[in-house]
Structure formats: structure tokens, C-alpha cells
Amino acid sequence: MAENVISDNKVLKLPDSAYYLPNFITSHEEAQLLEKIYSSPKPKWKTLSNRRLQNWGGLPHPKGMIQETLPEWLMNYVKKVGNLGIFQDKLPNHVLINEYLPGQGIMPHEDGPLFYPTIATINLGSHTVLDYYEKPSNSENLDSEMQLKTSRYIGSLLLERCSLLLVQDDLYSKYLHGIKETTVDILDDNIKNFNLCSIQNETELCRQSRISLTIRHVPHTVKANFIFGMK
């Protein structure tokens, strides 16, 4: 069943592999998640220049993530994503929660080798548009972020409220992804998953405050007592 759901929702107009599942959660589940996120202790939030975030499960590190138990309200959705089989026999053990206000975004980047090469993102509160770019080769000299965005751009994905995005294979490892800093998104032929979206007749969407739950598996974990030399 899970394999059929995944294969039926594959994005065919981008390199392998992206899968888009609209209405992965209900509006009631969305409201419950938002309530839990915004009632989290204030020290749980880390403020960056363009967004706020929360780390759950530990802080990924090249020497190993000191694993923390995920709260039950997150585990319910970690298991729901894990049951799709995209992490094979592994259970996701880390959730990064990002808050984006209208006009906020993130520069093109990759998630890197600290994680199992699969990423799942649940979207709450608002849509966004996720843009994909070819990585510049080592020999290329790109003078600016704008040059990267114009010369290496390959397409975008519309992420609706309550949807799930799954990314793996070459699209995870060989391409960059980012979100433009804008308040209005134009829906045109650059949106490569439009046939899978619930929204069909709109030509532009205004952004609201958005929360993303990025669910991943960190293979290298260590226990706190090992780090601190305790038995």
C-alpha cells in the first residue's frame, strides 16, 4: 500500500526522486502540531537572521549526534512517515522545525552527508515554493547567488499546507534547494508538481507564516554517557 501511494505521487518533471503527497495530514492534526510547537519552551527556539528553528532528537554533528528521545507528539508523525518505507529499515530519529515568516527564505544549499540520503518535510500553516538548482562544478566561478539562481535553476515544487514532500536519490545528493525571500509566489510552468497539487486554478499565492517539519535519519549517534566518559 505504501509503495503504491509513493509511486503514484512521484514528480516526473524533476530528476529522481521527489514524491509529493497533498493532504498527508488533516487540518485538525495541523492545528494540534502548531499548538505543540508554539507551546514549546522558549529556550527550544534558536533565532537565525532569516528564520527561527527547533532541533528535536539531538544536534547532528560529524562526531555523532547525542541522541535524545523525541516527544510523543512528534513520534506519531515520525512513525507515520517511517511507515512509508522510504527510510528502508531505518526509523527517522531527528526532526528540524523551521518557522518562516512571509518574505523569509533560505539560500540554496544541500543537507549533506550527516544524514541518511532521504528527507521528508511536512508543511504547516502556509504554502511555500521550493526551488532546485544544479550544483556548480569546482571549475565554475559564479560571482553571486543571483548568478547561481539564473544559470543553474531547474524547477520548483509547490508545497501546500498539510502536504508531505519526500526527496532522495540524485535530487537529494546532486542538487541544491532553496526558498526565495518573497511574499507572493507565481504559479507557472516552473512548478513541476502542479498536477499533484490540490490547488489547480490559482496563478499566485500570498505567503503566510509557515512551519516545516523536516524529518530525517542520523546514522551516527552516540549516548551522552559515552561523550562524558561515564559508565
Side-chain angles (χ1 to χ4, degrees):
M1 176 68 72
E3 290 184 1
N4 290 339
V5 170
I6 295 300
S7 60
D8 290 346
N9 289 274
K10 184 172 184 178
V11 179
L12 300 178
K13 296 181 180 180
L14 283 177
D16 281 343
S17 296
Y19 305 87
Y20 180 73
L21 285 70
N23 302 310
F24 181 70
I25 63 172
T26 66
S27 57
H28 178 67
E29 290 175 310
E30 177 193 41
Q32 288 182 318
L33 277 168
L34 289 171
E35 192 279 328
K36 289 291 187 181
I37 290 166
Y38 282 111
S39 64
S40 298
K42 189 173 181 180
K44 195 68 183 175
W45 287 102
K46 179 179 180 181
T47 301
L48 304 181
S49 59
N50 58 348
R51 66 191 190 283
R52 292 196 301 168
L53 60 82
Q54 298 179 12
N55 265 288
W56 292 92
L59 291 173
H61 191 277
K63 294 184 178 180
M65 181 178 76
I66 302 176
Q67 192 162 1
E68 302 169 357
T69 302
L70 291 169
E72 184 178 357
W73 59 271
L74 276 178
M75 276 303 302
N76 293 334
Y77 297 95
V78 166
K79 291 177 180 177
K80 185 174 182 178
V81 169
N83 288 339
L84 295 173
I86 60 165
F87 291 90
Q88 298 184 0
D89 60 343
K90 300 169 180 62
L91 181 67
N93 57 5
H94 182 263
V95 181
L96 179 66
I97 295 176
N98 280 299
E99 178 196 56
Y100 294 92
L101 302 179
Q104 293 183 331
I106 187 169
M107 290 179 59
H109 66 284
E110 58 184 333
D111 287 308
L114 292 182
F115 306 100
Y116 180 80
T118 292
I119 184 172
T121 304
I122 298 175
N123 300 277
L124 310 174
S126 177
H127 82 282
T128 198
V129 170
L130 187 64
D131 304 313
Y132 278 90
Y133 308 88
E134 294 178 341
K135 288 184 184 178
S137 67
N138 293 333
S139 61
E140 286 182 286
N141 181 22
L142 296 181
D143 295 329
S144 67
E145 180 187 351
M146 182 59 68
Q147 188 177 350
L148 166 66
K149 290 181 177 180
T150 54
S151 65
R152 312 298 293 184
Y153 174 71
I154 64 167
S156 301
L157 296 172
L158 172 62
L159 309 186
E160 300 165 284
R161 291 176 60 176
C162 300
S163 68
L164 176 71
L165 174 67
L166 308 172
V167 177
Q168 54 189 187
D169 304 323
D170 283 354
L171 194 61
Y172 177 95
S173 60
K174 296 182 179 181
Y175 295 83
L176 306 178
H177 58 279
I179 298 172
K180 293 186 181 73
E181 294 183 339
T182 185
T183 57
V184 178
D185 291 297
I186 305 301
L187 307 185
D188 55 20
D189 290 342
N190 289 322
I191 304 296
K192 304 305 183 182
N193 66 326
F194 202 62
N195 62 305
L196 299 172
C197 293
S198 300
I199 298 171
Q200 291 293 323
N201 299 317
E202 302 291 339
T203 57
E204 63 179 46
L205 293 174
C206 295
R207 290 188 193 174
Q208 307 298 321
S209 296
R210 171 180 174 259
I211 290 283
S212 64
L213 275 66
T214 302
I215 298 171
R216 298 178 284 203
H217 175 76
V218 180
H220 187 195
T221 61
V222 293
K223 294 182 179 179
N225 57 4
F226 175 80
I227 289 289
F228 294 107
M230 298 170 60
K231 293 184 179 180

